[in-house]
Amino acid sequence: MHDDSRIIALLQKRDEQALKIIREQYGTMCFQMAYRITGNREDAEECVNDMLMAVWDTIPPLHPEKLVPYLASLVSRKAISKYKFMHSQKRGGTQFSSALDELADILPSGECVENQIEQREITAALTQFLRQIPPDHRRIFMQRYFYSDSVQTIAQTNQMSADAVKMLLMRIRNKLKDYMRKERLL
Amino acid sequence: MTPLDIMEALRDVPEDLIDIDYEHLSVSCTAEQETLRTETDMPENGKRMRGSIVLSYLMTACCAAACIGGIAVLICMTKLSGRYSVQPQDPAPLQPAVTVTATAAFPNTATTASALYTDLLIRNTAQPALTAESLTYTEQTSVPVSTANPVIQTTAPPVTTASETVTATHTTASVTKQTPDLL
């Protein structure tokens, strides 16, 4: 078990051994996260490879304190992108959607400015909301909606029943809904 | 805003909110089980699928064997029933060809044969149920009568046109006579 600071130091020195250690140490966790989002082994494996590439490209200049949140954020973004791509393929597959994809390549992140602003507002509101709720509620919320854990897994790791977890998640969602309305995001 | 927007926005929240000690909370406790579920359970599912495929093949083979066996049994039964069944006989042609061979030492064999023929003819018409045994009956006991050929069809309609041959072999006399329409 390697320390995160040592791995990050290796990355700062551009030592490829760091990627091997990350794969060995966090590869399973990242694969599970990606698999829970994409539902496909090959896609999940591809997401993990993309995540390692992103780690190599972003550290340096970034210097995260902890690797797990950083890796989780990276791999889940890759997985969501893959999920959106696969669903757009399923939904569209027409010449029109192909043309849209071609035009999306010349736009930053494939989104317009309004969407980016709205996304930032949503992120800010979520951040504020997550800081307001109790830590145990936040942990369960993030387990479910960030790490995509199943209700059973959350119940097991928090020594709760599955029904209690469902009920708690529903209450948190309702609170979030009220908060978003209050912030005029809904 | 879509649910996917919220999910994406969650990826941009500060790291301290993401850091819920997930590594120790989930990975060490349940992720190993999930690893088993996602990785080792897949071969298990594969094994189950393979087992079901083999089972289906076996069932198909058994059904095919049962069908072939059933067909074979049907063929055998058909053959056996054909061998031992009573086949309806074709109605015999209207040919009660009564051949009388006179071997007795009569001087005038042709006459004797003619008389015998007449006698038989009368018997044949008078007694439809004439049998081979009754054909041996003759007043002239010295004249043996061949009963090999007389086939009397009791179910056949009365003889109307039949060809009868009376042969006397002793004196090489052969008489062929066309029977008249008696009935």
Side-chain angles (χ1 to χ4, degrees):
Chain A
M1 188 77 178
H2 297 268
D3 190 40
D4 282 0
S5 58
R6 182 174 175 268
I7 298 170
I8 292 169
L10 286 173
L11 284 168
Q12 298 284 353
K13 286 191 285 184
R14 310 305 290 163
D15 190 344
E16 292 184 7
Q17 184 71 17
L19 295 180
K20 190 178 176 184
I21 295 170
I22 289 173
R23 183 182 277 279
E24 287 174 357
Q25 200 160 311
Y26 302 112
T28 304
M29 182 199 76
C30 293
F31 175 83
Q32 288 166 4
M33 282 190 68
Y35 183 78
R36 284 196 288 264
I37 293 171
T38 60
N40 183 284
R41 287 181 64 84
E42 286 76 19
D43 289 344
E45 197 63 45
E46 198 178 326
C47 288
V48 172
N49 291 330
D50 290 347
M51 176 210 71
L52 289 172
M53 185 65 74
V55 167
W56 184 255
D57 289 341
T58 54
I59 302 176
L62 295 180
H63 195 289
E65 289 183 7
K66 288 188 176 181
L67 270 180
V68 171
Y70 185 68
L71 297 178
S73 181
L74 279 178
V75 77
S76 58
R77 278 184 195 153
K78 300 289 180 191
I80 287 175
S81 298
K82 180 70 71 177
Y83 174 87
K84 287 168 79 175
F85 176 74
M86 295 304 294
H87 280 250
S88 67
Q89 290 280 315
K90 282 181 185 173
R91 186 174 60 240
T94 62
Q95 290 298 321
F96 179 72
S97 60
S98 299
L100 281 179
D101 290 339
E102 288 166 16
L103 287 175
D105 289 339
I106 62 171
L107 294 173
S109 305
E111 296 171 344
C112 65
V113 177
E114 282 183 7
N115 282 344
Q116 285 187 355
I117 292 172
E118 188 186 3
Q119 196 73 14
R120 283 177 197 164
E121 288 177 350
I122 296 169
T123 303
L126 276 173
T127 303
Q128 289 299 317
F129 174 76
L130 289 171
R131 290 198 189 283
Q132 287 181 9
I133 59 176
D136 54 337
H137 289 198
R138 184 171 67 225
R139 184 177 65 243
I140 289 171
F141 183 85
M142 293 302 279
Q143 271 188 277
R144 180 63 179 153
Y145 298 111
F146 185 89
Y147 294 97
S148 302
D149 276 347
S150 66
V151 171
Q152 285 73 23
T153 301
I154 296 169
Q156 189 181 349
T157 54
N158 290 278
Q159 284 89 38
M160 296 169 69
S161 67
D163 289 336
V165 170
K166 285 179 187 172
M167 184 63 71
L168 182 58
L169 284 172
M170 192 183 72
R171 285 179 189 162
I172 297 172
R173 283 198 305 270
N174 288 334
K175 279 186 185 176
L176 177 62
K177 189 177 178 183
D178 293 341
Y179 184 83
M180 297 292 249
R181 277 183 180 159
K182 188 180 163 188
E183 295 293 321
R184 298 179 183 279
L185 288 169
L186 286 179
Chain B
M1 186 193 302
T2 63
L4 205 57
D5 292 335
I6 296 176
M7 296 288 271
E8 280 190 304
L10 265 181
R11 268 69 196 170
D12 294 328
V13 298
E15 284 184 11
D16 64 307
L17 294 173
I18 299 172
D19 186 16
I20 54 170
D21 201 14
Y22 185 76
E23 184 187 1
H24 296 100
L25 179 71
S26 240
V27 176
S28 59
C29 297
T30 59
E32 290 175 2
Q33 297 171 4
E34 292 222 359
T35 307
L36 289 175
R37 203 185 311 153
T38 54
E39 292 180 3
T40 56
D41 273 9
M42 284 182 180
E44 279 296 318
N45 289 337
K47 283 178 190 172
R48 271 187 229 123
M49 190 177 291
R50 238 175 292 149
S52 63
I53 289 170
V54 169
L55 190 64
S56 64
Y57 274 126
L58 280 174
M59 288 182 69
T60 307
C62 287
C63 289
C67 287
I68 292 169
I71 291 169
V73 168
L74 278 175
I75 291 170
C76 289
M77 287 180 69
T78 306
K79 284 193 172 180
L80 287 173
S81 64
R83 183 176 293 176
Y84 294 109
S85 66
V86 178
Q87 296 290 333
Q89 288 181 348
D90 293 334
L94 299 176
Q95 49 88 32
V98 180
T99 300
V100 179
T101 302
T103 56
F106 286 101
N108 193 351
T109 309
T111 307
T112 307
S114 177
L116 179 61
Y117 164 73
T118 305
D119 187 23
L120 285 173
L121 188 63
I122 291 167
R123 285 177 180 276
N124 192 16
T125 54
Q127 298 176 350
L130 190 62
T131 62
E133 288 76 15
S134 63
L135 272 176
T136 59
Y137 167 77
T138 176
E139 290 180 354
Q140 298 176 4
T141 55
S142 60
V143 179
V145 177
S146 173
T147 59
N149 279 335
V151 177
I152 309 301
Q153 296 292 331
T154 55
T155 57
V159 177
T160 53
T161 57
S163 174
E164 297 179 358
T165 303
V166 178
T167 305
T169 56
H170 183 69
T171 56
T172 66
S174 178
V175 177
T176 300
K177 188 174 182 180
Q178 190 74 25
T179 56
D181 290 340
L182 296 175
L183 298 177

